[in-house]
Amino acid sequence: MCHKGNGNKEMIGLYMKQAWALIKQERLFSMVYIVGTGLAISLVMVLSIVLYVKFAPLYPDMNRGRELVWEYGVYKKADGDGISSSSLSYALLERAYEGIEEVEAVAIYESFDHEDFVQPADRPTQLPVTVQKTNAGYWRVYAFRFLSGKPFGEEAFQSGLPVAVITERLARQLFGTEPAVGQEVKLHFKAYRVVGVVEAASPFMGNCYADIYVPFTVDPEWNRVWNQSGLGPYASVALVKEGASTEAVRKKVAERIAQFNRELQPEGSFDALGAPDPFWVSSFRKYSNQAPEVGPELMRYGLIFLLLLLIPAVSLSGMADSRMNRRMAELGVRRAFGAPRTTLFGQILTENLLYTLLGGALGLLVSFGLVQLVRGWIFFSSPMDVTTTEVSAMALPTGSLLNPWVFLIALAVCFVLNLLSAMIPAWRAARRPIVESLNLK
């Protein structure tokens, strides 16, 4: 058994040496082949990184699998004179989730971005910041890491106290090495007491990202009622308890929305458009007045993945097939000197494995560089989406750059296609009479 194992290792080593020698002999073909394989894999990896950031549990949004997102609603007048769609009122969100046992916490926040300025006490300048106005439940839904202090609680929220949680980056800018907790920060010339300092979220994390977090009850008009019932400036993320059914929560919320809708009649009606949505479904909701089209979106992503893999791979397969046809005479000579078919197939298998591995390594490096270079364009629809943070300074969430399963699947698909394009001619050559193979040029 040991001799057999050693013999297999020696044979594999010989195959690898021969494959590497062939790569060096056919440098142009090898370069095109490796670059083509790398291109196919890099494009798939770029798309997978985008989807990973979009759907995977990443700091501080670590419980995406248990979240229900509700951002929009539609109000229709009974006389057909008008339809309005926007974010939601606080009263409706509170009514929808109040007392539901399966809900652990509900984060309610102002749905539109707040770009503002803080005024440092020690210099006559203003620092641009992103502000997130939230309720106290926000800190139970999202797993922020507090480096000092703690979040503002329900009492501070209900009382509308001017308190703030800031990021470590903003704390350094304002206070240097001094402790930030307990100090005052002036936001839009209003003084807030810092109660906590958190590790900053990535700008790619949507409503989790901000430089400073304050209770929206600080605004005296926070609970103002819009002309259209049920609509307002707020959105919500409900965290369902572990082991509880998200569908059961959705059903209970739908019953309360139906009751609210009945109370509006005959003057008008309210439609939640199927919300609240599981987190991954909410990612497909593009418009405030339309339900998400999940099926077509999934098909579109699947088609993109398929095209990104198959188009370069098919082109490479044609090159490999042409190359194997040119090597028919070589295969015939090797068979004439007694090389068994298994040896020929083993050599071809090793050559394609080496080509694919080199192309995979190149594709992985290219995908990392490409995502870092154009991440602002990939993740944001316009430069206005992020105004207070330089795109060049945006760090992708840890772990998002490599999805091993997607990489291995892309590598395997390229390897199989490349191998088939080489093995089919090799199989034909192995079955062809030796004299006929020798006559091919």
Side-chain angles (χ1 to χ4, degrees):
M1 294 294 290
C2 292
H3 290 296
K4 185 177 180 181
N6 291 334
N8 289 337
K9 291 180 180 179
E10 291 176 1
M11 184 65 69
I12 293 173
L14 179 60
Y15 286 162
M16 293 299 290
K17 289 180 181 178
Q18 292 174 342
W20 183 250
L22 189 63
I23 287 176
K24 292 192 291 185
Q25 289 173 7
E26 300 180 339
R27 292 184 179 179
L28 179 60
F29 174 85
S30 300
M31 182 179 68
V32 173
Y33 202 84
I34 291 170
V35 169
T37 301
L39 176 64
I41 291 176
S42 65
L43 293 175
V44 170
M45 287 303 298
V46 167
L47 184 56
S48 73
I49 290 170
V50 173
L51 294 179
Y52 187 85
V53 172
K54 194 177 182 70
F55 297 112
L58 298 170
Y59 173 84
D61 198 359
M62 305 298 295
N63 300 301
R64 286 177 167 177
R66 295 193 286 132
E67 291 177 0
L68 290 174
V69 181
W70 188 9
E71 299 177 294
Y72 307 115
V74 175
Y75 178 82
K76 300 179 182 178
K77 290 185 177 180
D79 56 10
D81 193 29
I83 299 177
S84 299
S85 63
S86 78
S87 302
L88 307 160
S89 70
Y90 179 81
L92 176 60
L93 291 171
E94 190 177 48
R95 173 177 177 171
Y97 289 110
E98 187 176 13
I100 297 180
E101 295 181 357
E102 295 90 344
V103 175
E104 183 174 322
V106 181
I108 301 177
Y109 55 93
E110 288 197 354
S111 60
F112 44 87
D113 294 333
H114 294 271
E115 305 300 336
D116 215 320
F117 293 88
V118 295
Q119 294 76 40
D122 60 344
R123 51 193 183 275
T125 59
Q126 297 196 83
L127 296 177
V129 293
T130 299
V131 183
Q132 182 63 277
K133 297 185 177 182
T134 76
N135 69 337
Y138 184 90
W139 305 108
R140 295 174 60 195
V141 173
Y142 297 116
F144 281 89
R145 286 190 281 272
F146 277 79
L147 306 178
S148 60
K150 60 183 181 180
F152 53 81
E154 188 64 31
E155 184 178 347
F157 171 75
Q158 293 294 342
S159 302
L161 297 180
V163 293
V165 173
I166 65 176
T167 63
E168 183 184 19
R169 182 177 72 90
L170 182 58
R172 286 197 308 268
Q173 288 180 307
L174 295 176
F175 309 114
T177 58
E178 295 181 21
V181 175
Q183 300 209 51
E184 283 192 349
V185 55
K186 284 193 174 181
L187 174 65
H188 200 72
F189 302 100
K190 179 180 177 64
Y192 290 79
R193 180 172 58 87
V194 177
V195 296
V197 177
V198 295
E199 180 181 325
S202 169
F204 305 108
M205 296 307 294
N207 61 288
C208 296
Y209 169 73
D211 298 299
I212 180 169
Y213 305 81
V214 300
F216 55 72
T217 50
V218 171
D219 182 353
E221 298 183 357
W222 70 271
N223 205 18
R224 59 190 177 277
V225 178
W226 290 16
N227 293 331
Q228 297 82 13
S229 297
L231 304 185
Y234 302 107
S236 68
V237 178
L239 182 62
V240 179
K241 292 180 180 177
E242 288 193 38
S245 169
T246 55
E247 285 305 311
V249 175
R250 294 184 70 222
K251 183 178 179 180
K252 290 181 180 180
V253 173
E255 291 172 354
R256 297 184 180 190
I257 294 172
Q259 176 60 35
F260 174 72
N261 187 41
R262 286 192 290 270
E263 293 172 6
L264 296 179
Q265 297 173 357
E267 287 80 11
S269 62
F270 179 86
D271 189 355
L273 300 173
D277 305 313
F279 177 86
W280 71 275
V281 175
S282 71
S283 300
F284 295 110
R285 192 179 284 272
K286 296 179 179 179
Y287 307 105
S288 62
N289 60 349
Q290 292 181 15
E293 297 180 346
V294 178
E297 287 291 318
L298 291 176
M299 289 182 61
R300 183 169 66 89
Y301 279 117
L303 182 61
I304 291 173
F305 265 115
L306 192 63
L307 291 177
L308 290 179
L309 268 179
L310 290 184
I311 291 177
V314 169
S315 300
L316 292 174
S317 298
M319 290 178 57
D321 184 77
S322 175
R323 174 171 168 269
M324 287 304 303
N325 284 326
R326 294 197 305 271
R327 294 181 62 191
M328 287 293 190
E330 173 202 334
L331 297 177
V333 170
R334 294 178 66 181
R335 285 196 60 209
F337 279 90
R341 293 176 180 176
T342 54
T343 300
L344 299 180
F345 288 153
Q347 180 62 39
I348 294 168
L349 177 68
T350 306
E351 289 173 11
N352 280 272
L353 179 61
L354 186 57
Y355 276 126
T356 305
L357 289 177
L358 291 173
L362 176 64
L364 201 58
L365 293 175
V366 169
S367 67
F368 291 171
L370 189 61
V371 169
Q372 292 289 359
L373 185 64
V374 296
R375 56 192 181 278
W377 175 76
I378 290 175
F379 289 96
F380 298 104
S381 58
S382 73
M384 295 302 295
D385 289 336
V386 175
T387 59
T388 63
T389 303
E390 292 291 337
V391 172
S392 60
M394 293 179 186
L396 285 167
T398 303
S400 65
L401 288 178
L402 177 59
N403 187 327
W405 286 111
V406 173
F407 174 69
L408 290 175
I409 291 171
L411 198 68
V413 170
C414 287
F415 175 65
V416 169
L417 289 174
N418 295 348
L419 184 63
L420 287 175
S421 63
M423 277 298 199
I424 292 174
W427 180 79
R428 290 202 305 264
R431 294 176 59 86
R432 184 176 286 143
I434 295 175
V435 174
E436 183 178 337
S437 296
L438 290 172
N439 289 329
L440 289 173
K441 294 183 181 180

